[in-house]
Amino acid sequence: MTVRRDFKEPARCRPDLVIGRDELYAAAREQLTRGGSVLLHGPAGIGKSTVLRALAADYGDAARTVLRCSATESESHLPFLALADLFGLVLDEISDKLPAAQRTALESALTGRGESTLQRDGLALRLAVLSALRALAAAGPVLLVADDLQWLDSASAELLGFAARRLGDTPVQLLCAVRTEGQEYDRQLRASPPDTLAVRLNPLSRAQVSALLDHRGYSDLPRSTMREIHRTSGGNPLFALELGRALGESPTPPRPGEPLPVPTSLRALVLSRLDMLSAEARRTLLVASAGARPTLALLHAAGRENAEAETARAAELGLLTTEPEGPAVRFAHPLISAALYAEAPAQERRAAHAALSTAASDPIERARNLALATTGTDPEVSARLAEAAALSRDRGAPSVAASLGLLAARHTPPDGTPAPDQHRLQAAEDAITAGEVDLAREIAREVLTRATVPADRIRAWEVVIEAAGQALGDVDAVFPQALADAGDDPRLLALVHYHLAWRKLIVEGDFSEARQEAAHAAELAARGDDRRTELMALSFQSSTETLMGHPNAPATIKQAMKEPQDPYVACHHNGVGAARFRWLMMSDQLAEARSTITALLREVRRRGMVESEVHFQRFLAETELRSGHCGRALDLARESLRLARDSGIGLGASAMLASLAEASGGDVDRALELAREAAGRAEEDGDQMYLSRALAALGHAQLVAGDAAGAVGSLRRVRELEAGLRITDPARGRWQGDLAEALVLVGEPGEAQDVIDVTREHALRLDRESVLAVLDRSEAMVRAALGDHEAALSRLTSVQDRLAKLGYGLEEARAAFALARLRTLRPGTALGPTSYDEAARLFRRCRALPWLRQVDAAAAEGAAAQQLAVVRQQPPSDVLEGLASMERQVAALVMEGATNREIAARLFISVKTVEATLTRVYRKLGIRSRVDIVRLAAGRHAK
């Protein structure tokens, strides 16, 4: 009886796998399914064993026999140990199937009885292993799972390699893992079957490390700490988990400038080779670990006279990597530097920083090291840190500025000027700019526990509100407290009312009230001579008016663009530049919108404004999507989503735009998934404004996926939401054409025409040319559904030309597709794939792959239909006169012999709509089936 090994893993192991390993897992799984073998490789702690176990558990059921061995370093000197693990439990089953000499050699090796060796029984043992695998495979597929191949005893490794190279078509697969550095897996690959796929496990991204720690219960760590964990661990999941555990167990988090608490387990793992260095060499490496960008010249300037020889020795031991093309001193892994620094006594660390405070050439580095070398308060140190923070801010490094600001606060005397809390508040604002909202919120809350000055309290409340992002409902209690702290100071009141305007929009969904609050905030700021807040309020007011379709929008934008301008507001994602971009997009000025957003994106990257970068990357993707550059839009949208997940900012909005990009140029299933994620986030945050955008993206993806009924359901909800929000400008979401098209497909042309008529009224008032063109395309489909093909053809030809002139490449291609379908399906028109050539060309130019697949499918259907007899157009029988228009058309086509699918294509409706319409026809005519309709037609011809 074959002994099967059950590799079902504990439940906790499986979710870890999907974090950052989806693609490689899928590739390995597909390789196994094809009958091939897989070799997983990568450095220690990278997750090879986790993936190996999950693959074995997932794929093991497909094999009749699963064998496993897992080697360890301490046992690697024992010959044939791995062989015993693999075959020990199945020896009884296969022994009688082996030739006597092979059986004796194998039993001797596995049991330890006798003195079998590769030198004495080499050929017999090699053939025995090969024969054993063939014997097992004769009863069914065999899966051999081996972990930590690097510790496999040499005898077992030689025997398995011999067999693996000779298995041929025998259904034996190997699933193995080996520890490697770089790409050093050739030796193991040569000992594997020829069809083996080598899969390298790379470090996790910051977002993936965050997800892993969150899954393991370390979800309360600030984002700045998570960033430091990712940097220190180098993306290694084992190292990240150990660091997260150490932080979770630490009673107090590390202060800025202090190292992460490196647990003993990791210190022992990476520092075991330090004992082979001299004490002086260790001090040299400590100075290198304390520096931001250590070089040999810096180490010399810091007093390390023998730096060359000492770093060369450290490189020989694998502690440092050599840099042949540069002078940098780089640790082989960030964890080595962190563990070395954490291991050093505090006095030695301060001495290293003191040396660097004079040796470093960069003023920021000098100030940082001076602070870390100093204990207690010191006004001079505080002043130098504040100057360094300002310099970091100017260089576009707000995260560094925040860290330096907190150090400045620590070294500022209680009665210093500026006060310690003012340094903290500046640090919190820098953290907001850098996208480190958790750190910013923590600082602001701490300041609020003791601050009494109204200006300081309002500044702290502002940080708390901004840190909430779209979830403003979570900080509702803040606003009454902030208003009370502001008193009657117009400058402070302006700040509070500006944020109240956002609350009105996001939480209450009231554009009109939000606009009034913004106008009030701008007025208060002007009275208080606060130009920055005035510009932010005017920008918000103009954006709101633009979305509402308010006639004052152009005038408010013009007012917001008057001098003097504030550089920060000019490039902020809620500032005047962004407001102008939105207006350009909605006014069909795509080229100018692209140049505007490109310049804004460049500036916020220079300034290190992470939140604005997330939004502007998304805006640029939207611009490219509108222009029909679907491939470029998809790349930008995916990058925006990656940045949003990495920073925790704008996740819903980025998922929404990524959904639109996927539906147009990527994977429709992924588009549906992202749209549902965006809608879920918006509902969770209580954000009605983005909920409507997310549902519009969902409806679009459903339409592209062929789910017209689902699209109608989603887009009807969008219509209800935007009516409640009083959004009248159809250029805001551009979902109306999709809704009308979906309604036609489900057999509701009347409702589709209503949507078109209402939307056209607003589009005409606001001069939205592209919206009007799309509405005309949708109306052509309504006309075609009602049987007026000539009017539909004429309108579609005009629409395609208009969209081309406006630069809306994808909408132009959709118009060409609709025109091709209409021409192909018009009664009396010859059918064939050539009708779709123009649509295919335009979609190919846009790289709109989902749409191109639809064109290919339609062309194929046309070619098949051409083989059928041309459908005769006949007037409906008198008995059909009591039916509604759609019912008459469906019944008449049934009389002509058309199938339900052919009727759906002819009338631009779904097959389900055809079936429902026929049910009504049967009921009205008192018949039971399609056959009875044909009989009615036959009766008419007989008269």
Side-chain angles (χ1 to χ4, degrees):
M1 175 179 177
T2 300
V3 179
R4 286 185 46 86
R5 306 286 185 89
D6 188 357
F7 289 103
K8 300 293 183 183
E9 289 301 307
R12 69 172 184 83
C13 291
R14 301 307 298 278
D16 292 351
L17 170 67
V18 302
I19 299 173
R21 305 302 189 198
D22 305 55
E23 291 185 9
L24 68 84
Y25 184 83
R29 182 69 173 80
E30 183 179 351
Q31 170 75 357
L32 292 170
T33 302
R34 287 197 300 261
S37 297
V38 173
L39 175 66
L40 305 169
H41 67 100
I46 204 67
K48 303 181 297 299
S49 296
T50 299
V51 176
L52 182 87
R53 289 193 297 265
L55 281 168
D58 189 10
Y59 183 72
D61 291 340
R64 178 181 180 272
T65 305
V66 181
L67 308 174
R68 183 184 185 188
C69 69
S70 183
T72 63
E73 184 177 11
S74 62
E75 299 171 338
S76 60
H77 66 286
L78 300 173
F80 306 123
L81 183 62
L83 204 65
D85 284 344
L86 289 170
F87 294 107
L89 296 179
V90 296
L91 183 60
D92 291 343
E93 178 186 345
I94 60 174
S95 61
D96 60 348
K97 301 176 183 177
L98 303 180
Q102 295 179 21
R103 180 171 63 250
T104 300
L106 184 60
E107 288 177 348
S108 177
L110 296 185
T111 63
R113 293 191 296 270
E115 297 182 356
S116 180
T117 66
L118 278 179
Q119 288 73 24
R120 197 179 85 179
D121 302 316
L123 181 59
L125 272 174
R126 288 174 173 85
L127 293 175
V129 172
L130 181 60
S131 298
L133 289 173
R134 286 173 173 167
L136 289 170
V142 176
L143 177 66
L144 190 154
V145 182
D147 199 1
D148 283 320
L149 281 184
Q150 73 277 2
W151 305 131
L152 216 65
D153 65 272
S154 59
S156 297
E158 164 63 22
L159 293 171
L160 289 174
F162 175 87
R165 293 189 296 271
R166 290 164 174 80
L167 285 169
D169 295 332
T170 306
V172 176
Q173 297 170 265
L174 272 66
L175 173 59
C176 305
V178 62
R179 181 187 300 180
T180 59
E181 297 296 335
Q183 300 293 324
E184 301 170 2
Y185 59 92
D186 289 347
R187 181 171 60 84
Q188 288 82 13
L189 196 59
R190 286 195 298 270
S192 302
D195 61 349
T196 299
L197 173 69
V199 178
R200 178 168 179 80
L201 275 71
N202 291 313
L204 300 179
S205 69
R206 190 194 306 179
Q208 290 163 351
V209 165
S210 177
L212 176 63
L213 289 169
D214 184 65
H215 170 68
R216 287 298 185 90
Y218 307 118
S219 56
D220 296 330
L221 297 174
R223 193 163 295 277
S224 56
T225 302
M226 202 70 75
R227 181 192 63 195
E228 191 61 21
I229 289 176
H230 178 258
R231 187 195 67 79
T232 303
S233 69
N236 184 297
L238 173 64
F239 297 171
L241 285 169
E242 287 295 299
L243 290 168
R245 181 182 59 78
L247 281 166
E249 294 174 354
S250 177
T252 56
R255 295 188 297 179
E258 290 183 343
L260 292 177
V262 180
T264 305
S265 59
L266 291 185
R267 294 190 195 186
L269 179 66
V270 300
L271 297 182
S272 57
R273 286 163 287 184
L274 276 180
D275 293 338
M276 304 176 69
L277 290 175
S278 67
E280 287 301 311
R282 291 185 63 160
R283 291 191 186 97
T284 296
L285 291 191
L286 176 61
V287 174
S289 71
R293 292 176 296 276
T295 62
L296 287 173
L298 178 64
L299 293 176
H300 277 299
R304 309 313 301 167
E305 297 178 355
N306 298 317
E308 284 92 347
E310 290 163 350
T311 55
R313 176 57 178 156
E316 289 175 4
L317 295 172
L319 295 165
L320 298 178
T321 58
T322 56
E323 294 284 343
E325 299 180 358
V329 175
R330 194 180 304 278
F331 284 89
H333 192 280
L335 188 63
I336 297 175
S337 174
L340 175 65
Y341 188 92
E343 187 81 4
Q347 184 177 353
E348 291 187 17
R349 293 205 298 257
R350 286 197 296 271
H353 286 298
L356 289 170
S357 69
T358 57
S361 59
D362 185 81
I364 294 175
E365 273 304 289
R366 287 199 302 270
R368 185 184 74 87
N369 281 291
L370 178 61
L372 296 174
T374 305
T375 58
T377 60
D378 187 322
E380 182 181 347
V381 172
S382 175
R384 287 182 59 179
L385 286 165
E387 292 171 2
L391 182 58
S392 298
R393 211 171 294 120
D394 291 341
R395 289 182 180 179
S399 179
V400 175
S403 177
L404 292 169
L406 290 175
L407 285 172
R410 187 198 307 177
H411 290 287
T412 301
D415 57 350
T417 303
D421 277 349
Q422 289 180 311
H423 285 302
R424 291 187 181 94
L425 287 170
Q426 180 61 63
E429 291 164 356
D430 287 329
I432 285 285
T433 302
E436 298 179 4
V437 294
D438 295 334
L439 176 62
R441 185 189 299 110
E442 180 184 340
I443 297 170
R445 292 287 189 187
E446 180 192 350
V447 170
L448 284 165
T449 61
R450 57 177 173 268
T452 57
V453 178
D456 288 348
R457 291 188 63 79
I458 293 299
R459 198 173 169 188
W461 286 129
E462 192 175 15
V463 169
V464 172
I465 293 169
E466 290 192 10
Q470 299 295 109
L472 284 179
D474 294 346
V475 292
D476 256 353
V478 165
F479 293 100
Q481 299 177 66
L483 285 170
D485 285 335
D488 57 1
D489 187 327
R491 291 175 64 92
L492 301 182
L493 284 170
L495 287 168
V496 180
H497 281 280
Y498 170 71
H499 290 292
L500 277 170
W502 278 103
R503 185 194 172 281
K504 290 286 185 184
L505 180 62
I506 292 175
V507 178
E508 297 183 15
D510 194 325
F511 272 70
S512 180
E513 286 289 328
R515 172 181 174 271
Q516 292 177 26
E517 281 284 5
H520 183 42
E523 182 183 330
L524 286 166
R527 282 193 354 225
D529 197 25
D530 181 356
R531 183 62 173 163
R532 174 173 291 190
T533 303
E534 181 186 9
L535 288 171
M536 290 294 289
L538 286 171
S539 300
F540 177 85
Q541 181 184 343
S542 65
S543 293
T544 306
E545 290 173 347
T546 299
L547 296 174
M548 293 172 65
H550 197 284
N552 289 358
T556 307
I557 292 175
K558 189 174 181 180
Q559 185 182 358
M561 295 180 67
K562 287 182 179 178
E563 296 294 339
Q565 284 293 313
D566 183 290
Y568 173 81
V569 177
C571 64
H572 192 275
H573 59 280
N574 289 322
V576 62
R580 182 170 179 271
F581 163 78
R582 292 186 186 94
W583 186 80
L584 289 169
M585 283 287 287
M586 296 174 74
S587 301
D588 297 326
Q589 300 181 55
L590 295 181
E592 192 171 354
R594 181 185 293 107
S595 62
T596 297
I597 199 61
T598 301
L600 287 170
L601 183 58
R602 188 184 307 116
E603 179 62 13
V604 298
R605 282 174 173 164
R606 186 188 71 80
R607 289 172 171 265
M609 300 170 68
V610 174
E611 183 173 7
S612 293
E613 182 182 356
V614 171
H615 291 295
F616 289 162
Q617 182 99 349
R618 187 179 80 252
F619 291 170
L620 181 58
E622 183 179 1
T623 308
E624 298 294 354
L625 191 58
R626 296 280 177 233
S627 302
H629 305 149
C630 298
R632 170 71 173 153
L634 185 59
D635 290 342
L636 288 167
R638 286 174 174 172
E639 175 61 21
S640 174
L641 183 59
R642 185 203 63 76
L643 185 60
R645 294 199 193 286
D646 196 35
S647 63
I649 295 170
L651 281 167
S654 295
M656 175 273 298
L657 199 281
S659 170
L660 290 172
E662 292 283 357
S664 299
D667 185 326
V668 179
D669 289 336
R670 178 65 174 151
L672 292 166
E673 178 185 338
L674 287 168
R676 292 188 177 104
E677 176 190 339
R681 287 186 181 278
E683 289 190 296
E684 183 179 337
D685 291 341
D687 184 349
Q688 297 184 59
M689 184 174 68
Y690 261 112
L691 178 58
S692 68
R693 294 294 307 272
L695 289 172
L698 177 59
H700 179 74
Q702 289 168 323
L703 181 63
V704 176
D707 181 10
V712 167
S714 298
L715 296 174
R716 277 174 174 165
R717 191 176 172 198
V718 175
R719 180 174 57 184
E720 294 169 3
L721 281 169
E722 295 206 351
L725 292 168
R726 301 182 188 176
I727 297 175
T728 60
D729 194 332
R732 186 244 180 182
R734 299 176 181 268
W735 49 266
Q736 295 85 352
D738 283 346
L739 175 56
E741 181 178 337
L743 285 166
V744 170
L745 291 172
V746 299
E748 298 289 350
E751 185 181 346
Q753 189 63 55
D754 289 341
V755 171
I756 292 167
D757 292 343
V758 171
T759 307
R760 181 178 283 129
E761 180 181 349
H762 294 300
L764 286 168
R765 174 175 60 85
L766 297 167
D767 194 26
R768 302 300 190 222
E769 282 296 323
S770 63
V771 174
L772 288 168
V774 169
L775 291 174
D776 284 350
R777 183 187 72 204
S778 302
E779 189 167 36
M781 297 179 70
V782 173
R783 297 281 181 93
L786 296 175
D788 192 351
H789 285 75
E790 294 306 321
L793 283 169
S794 174
R795 181 156 299 201
L796 279 175
T797 304
S798 168
V799 164
Q800 185 178 343
D801 293 340
R802 287 157 58 196
L803 289 168
K805 290 177 182 176
L806 289 168
Y808 284 79
L810 183 59
E811 297 295 353
E812 175 195 358
R814 288 181 64 178
F817 186 26
L819 185 60
R821 290 181 64 189
L822 192 58
R823 284 174 173 164
T824 302
L825 299 170
R826 182 177 57 174
T829 301
L831 302 173
T834 56
S835 305
Y836 294 95
D837 286 349
E838 173 68 0
R841 182 185 69 81
L842 292 174
F843 281 130
R844 196 173 292 112
R845 184 183 69 182
C846 294
R847 286 182 58 191
L849 301 182
W851 287 103
L852 193 57
R853 285 190 284 268
Q854 289 194 35
V855 173
D856 291 342
E861 288 178 7
Q866 195 172 25
Q867 306 303 316
L868 302 174
V870 177
V871 178
R872 293 177 293 112
Q873 185 178 17
Q874 300 175 347
S877 169
D878 292 342
V879 297
L880 304 184
E881 291 182 357
L883 302 178
S885 173
M886 178 65 71
E887 295 165 351
R888 285 165 56 84
Q889 292 182 75
V890 170
L893 289 171
V894 170
M895 289 177 175
E896 296 169 5
T899 66
N900 285 3
R901 184 175 294 276
E902 290 168 345
I903 295 170
R906 286 275 296 273
L907 300 181
F908 285 86
I909 59 178
S910 68
V911 174
K912 288 185 178 180
T913 302
V914 173
E915 294 169 352
T917 304
L918 282 174
T919 299
R920 293 195 299 271
V921 169
Y922 299 156
R923 185 174 61 250
K924 290 183 179 181
L925 298 181
I927 59 180
R928 294 183 177 181
S929 68
R930 296 168 58 92
V931 176
D932 292 332
I933 295 180
V934 175
R935 287 172 179 162
L936 288 174
R940 181 191 62 189
H941 290 304
K943 288 180 181 178

